[in-house]
Amino acid sequence: MELAVNGAYEVLSQKMTYGHFMLVNDCDTDLSHIKGSGTGHTARDLGHYNIYSSHTWIEQAWGYYYTGIDRVNRIMANKERVALPDDESKKKFNRLIAEAKLLRGICYFDLVRMWGDVPLKLTASDKKENFALTRTDREEVYEQIVKDMEEAISDLPWHDEMSSYEGRPTKGAAMGLLARVYLFRAGYSLHQNGKMERPGKYLEYYGKVKAICAELINSHHHALNANYERVFKNVCENILEPNEVMYEVQFYNPSGENDHSSKIGSYNSPEINRNSSYGLGNSFIKTTHFAYDLYEQGDTRRETAIATFKINANDNVIPIPRKNSYTWAPGKWRRNWIPGPPKDLENMDINFILLRYSDVLLMYVEAVNELDGRLDKLAIECLNQVRRRAYGYVPTATTPAIDFTSADFPNQQSVRDYLFIERARELCFEGFRRFDLIRWNKLAVVLHDFAAKFNAAVADGTLTSYVWAAGNYFKGGKHELYPIPSYEIRETKGSLVQNPDYSNDGR
């Protein structure tokens, strides 16, 4: 049983899920973009919104998610055949079933976020069955995600109740992911009518976020690391820290080859010359001074999050001038933070952070504000814990010099405006920005406004000449979703209907 569950989770440790694809999925936004202005390259096409239904990464990602789902379905179909001779066996069995259900929930959640209404299949595939499936309304898919995650929560342990934590899913991780599911369910998404809409029960879903996050916060099983930079150094050093980093998708290949290794720390890192002692920092994901300037003076997160330098062949740090800030890079994952010599120029063992405790705190704030129109005492404390840590103070210690009070947020919109920036500052490059902008129904306007701001900076000489390509390709009412892979349309003989404004012929 354990081998079967481990094999199911393997799909998250593929390049075309969390090892590479999800890094590019978060581009292009006001925070990050894929290097280079051209198209005709898999990553640039995806990041710059030159997206087509035969895109190989989209095809592979879709396939891996449904492979994971099918593996879980097969586990569920055969679970009664497992011998359980004693209570300890039953306890372990229940935990493994819970892990499998959580994985199925994660896979369907990613599918819904990226493709909208998708086929919901809960039985193991058989070569005799009819595979011409139709799309299932996303609300029905969300119901199954919630069911799987709720059932998983009841049989998973807290991380600090385990004899040793080795990175397996925990109760806190499942609760945080369920809160995220409800948060996105409450938001906007693109529908088959070509419109961005939110469900009629969205306030009910915000209520679920509030309740789950409150329970998780008040359980005191999780807390912020006092040092923001140390959070990411731990990940680069393969130090598991479940207090804050509540769940990581794990990667490891003993020889540095492709299987089960990631691009994290190379593809989304500062540029590092391949002849340096650290190995190659490919640095294909970039940012700009506009993201850098979101941070206020004294915010220690800025120098961790954004690398304004590159490293040459002699391991020297070379500053990159502000006029070339479109070549600045994410700084949270760095090859020069990894102990030991590189196993491979590009492949890495750095894990993908799927959930941090700071996100739980910020989700609670957002839910309370949307539900009640004002912040309660716990929400103010959540904001202050994130803020104190950012400015170098103990997260849980009252700090009058910088602490917020309710007077700092006179209305609902003031909280929304703050979270729009604060989620960017705290969680940048971790896979949230594009999804956040979509659920807030802001992706189209933010990309339009950012393109204008970027072009103005080029025109007035703040930046040297560069084309921010997403501004030329993004189309609202289309690119909030990916296309159903063309081979799926073809193999199901058209029973799967394509997403709005995409062609079925591979374009």
Side-chain angles (χ1 to χ4, degrees):
M1 173 65 80
E2 187 165 1
L3 289 175
V5 173
N6 290 347
Y9 269 86
E10 181 188 42
V11 301
L12 299 185
S13 299
Q14 300 292 334
K15 290 286 199 320
M16 288 300 102
T17 51
Y18 282 90
H20 193 179
F21 178 77
M22 277 305 214
L23 308 183
V24 179
N25 170 74
D26 199 33
C27 301
D28 290 350
T29 68
D30 55 335
L31 298 184
S32 61
H33 59 273
I34 298 298
K35 178 173 68 175
S37 301
T39 57
H41 176 283
T42 48
R44 291 193 183 105
D45 282 343
L46 195 66
H48 298 338
Y49 302 100
N50 182 42
I51 302 172
Y52 37 91
S53 58
S54 62
H55 193 288
T56 55
W57 289 11
I58 290 175
E59 292 177 344
Q60 291 175 53
W62 173 281
Y64 276 124
Y65 281 118
Y66 274 108
T67 296
I69 289 165
D70 190 65
R71 290 177 181 177
V72 173
N73 291 345
R74 199 165 299 280
I75 290 170
M76 296 305 162
N78 291 281
K79 64 180 181 178
E80 303 304 328
R81 300 168 60 185
V82 178
L84 302 172
D86 52 43
D87 288 344
E88 191 61 33
S89 298
K90 293 176 183 176
K91 183 178 179 181
K92 183 177 181 180
F93 172 84
N94 289 338
R95 173 177 62 79
L96 291 170
I97 292 296
E99 290 180 4
K101 289 179 178 179
L102 178 63
L103 173 65
R104 186 165 64 185
I106 291 170
C107 288
Y108 270 123
F109 182 43
D110 283 351
L111 284 166
V112 165
R113 289 193 294 175
M114 290 189 280
W115 285 279
D117 301 333
V118 295
L120 177 64
K121 192 172 186 298
L122 302 176
T123 57
S125 296
D126 185 285
K127 62 182 180 181
K128 298 177 183 178
E129 70 181 278
N130 178 13
F131 286 96
L133 300 176
T134 59
R135 304 174 72 130
T136 305
D137 184 272
R138 68 199 66 187
E139 279 296 293
E140 185 177 343
V141 181
Y142 268 121
E143 282 298 314
Q144 182 61 44
I145 296 168
V146 168
K147 181 176 184 293
D148 276 340
M149 290 191 174
E150 285 181 341
E151 292 176 359
I153 289 168
S154 63
D155 285 319
L156 289 173
W158 294 103
H159 76 91
D160 50 2
E161 294 177 347
M162 306 168 76
S163 57
S164 64
Y165 177 73
E166 298 177 347
R168 300 191 78 94
T170 64
K171 187 185 297 291
M175 291 176 68
L177 291 172
L178 178 58
R180 181 181 293 164
V181 165
Y182 272 120
L183 189 72
F184 278 80
R185 191 180 185 184
Y188 289 87
S189 60
L190 180 61
H191 287 253
Q192 286 300 111
N193 60 7
K195 297 179 180 179
M196 294 291 291
E197 298 174 341
R198 73 192 320 174
K201 298 195 294 185
Y202 73 94
L203 288 177
E204 176 184 327
Y205 301 148
Y206 278 123
K208 295 288 188 180
V209 180
K210 177 183 176 181
I212 295 166
C213 289
E215 181 181 353
L216 184 50
I217 293 165
N218 291 325
S219 75
H220 302 295
H221 286 282
H222 293 275
L224 295 178
N225 186 316
N227 186 296
Y228 186 77
E229 183 178 86
R230 175 41 59 184
V231 172
F232 302 98
K233 282 190 171 181
N234 282 345
V235 175
C236 290
E237 295 170 9
N238 280 317
I239 298 172
L240 297 174
E241 185 218 356
N243 278 327
E244 170 152 0
V245 182
M246 299 168 69
Y247 189 62
E248 305 172 43
V249 176
Q250 298 191 49
F251 293 90
Y252 179 72
N253 186 299
S255 58
E257 296 177 3
N258 277 325
D259 286 348
H260 307 121
S261 61
S262 77
K263 295 288 189 181
I264 303 165
S266 174
Y267 210 80
N268 61 343
S269 76
E271 179 182 336
I272 302 178
N273 188 285
R274 66 174 54 242
N275 294 316
S276 76
S277 66
Y278 308 119
L280 175 67
N282 197 3
S283 195
F284 216 72
I285 293 176
K286 298 296 188 181
T287 186
T288 65
H289 71 276
F290 296 111
Y292 187 86
D293 291 347
L294 292 176
Y295 296 92
E296 298 169 348
Q297 193 67 31
D299 191 331
T300 63
R301 296 174 297 186
R302 184 177 66 185
E303 304 309 317
T304 297
I306 297 178
T308 61
F309 60 87
K310 60 183 178 180
I311 296 177
N312 69 12
N314 297 317
D315 295 351
N316 296 320
V317 175
I318 310 298
I320 299 173
R322 188 178 177 90
K323 67 181 181 180
N324 300 124
S325 72
Y326 50 80
T327 67
W328 291 356
K332 292 180 174 180
W333 308 272
R334 308 181 188 186
R335 292 205 76 140
N336 55 313
W337 283 352
I338 300 172
K343 291 187 289 186
D344 184 84
L345 271 178
E346 295 191 51
N347 290 327
M348 313 289 287
D349 292 334
I350 297 179
N351 296 341
F352 187 103
I353 301 173
L354 199 60
L355 178 68
R356 285 202 291 121
Y357 183 62
S358 60
D359 189 23
V360 172
L361 299 177
L362 295 178
M363 285 194 289
Y364 180 80
V365 174
E366 183 173 348
V368 169
N369 186 58
E370 295 302 321
L371 194 64
D372 303 330
R374 63 185 184 281
L375 299 185
D376 59 18
K377 184 177 180 181
L378 178 58
I380 294 291
E381 175 61 18
C382 288
L383 286 180
N384 281 331
Q385 286 193 23
V386 176
R387 181 172 171 81
R388 291 170 195 143
R389 195 256 300 268
Y391 285 86
Y393 296 97
V394 177
T396 54
T398 301
T399 311
I402 64 164
D403 277 2
F404 288 127
T405 68
S406 57
D408 292 303
F409 300 99
N411 52 50
Q412 187 180 57
Q413 189 58 45
S414 64
V415 179
R416 289 172 176 165
D417 293 342
Y418 181 78
L419 288 175
F420 178 83
I421 297 175
E422 181 64 357
R423 283 186 64 84
R425 289 184 292 224
E426 176 67 22
L427 302 168
C428 58
F429 319 125
E430 295 179 49
F432 294 101
R433 188 57 168 181
R434 199 174 73 88
F435 283 138
D436 277 349
L437 294 175
I438 290 170
R439 68 181 178 85
W440 289 331
N441 195 18
K442 287 179 174 290
L443 182 61
V445 67
V446 166
L447 292 183
H448 177 271
D449 291 349
F450 185 81
K453 184 164 61 174
F454 189 97
N455 292 338
V458 171
D460 68 19
T462 301
L463 292 173
T464 57
S465 181
Y466 186 83
V467 176
W468 191 74
N472 297 329
Y473 290 98
F474 178 83
K475 183 177 181 181
K478 176 180 181 179
H479 290 131
E480 291 88 354
L481 291 176
Y482 288 148
I484 303 294
S486 56
Y487 77 82
E488 290 287 343
I489 304 291
R490 182 176 64 252
E491 294 300 317
T492 59
K493 300 184 181 348
S495 63
L496 275 180
V497 179
Q498 187 54 274
N499 276 328
D501 212 18
Y502 286 106
S503 165
N504 291 334
D505 61 4
R507 290 179 295 175

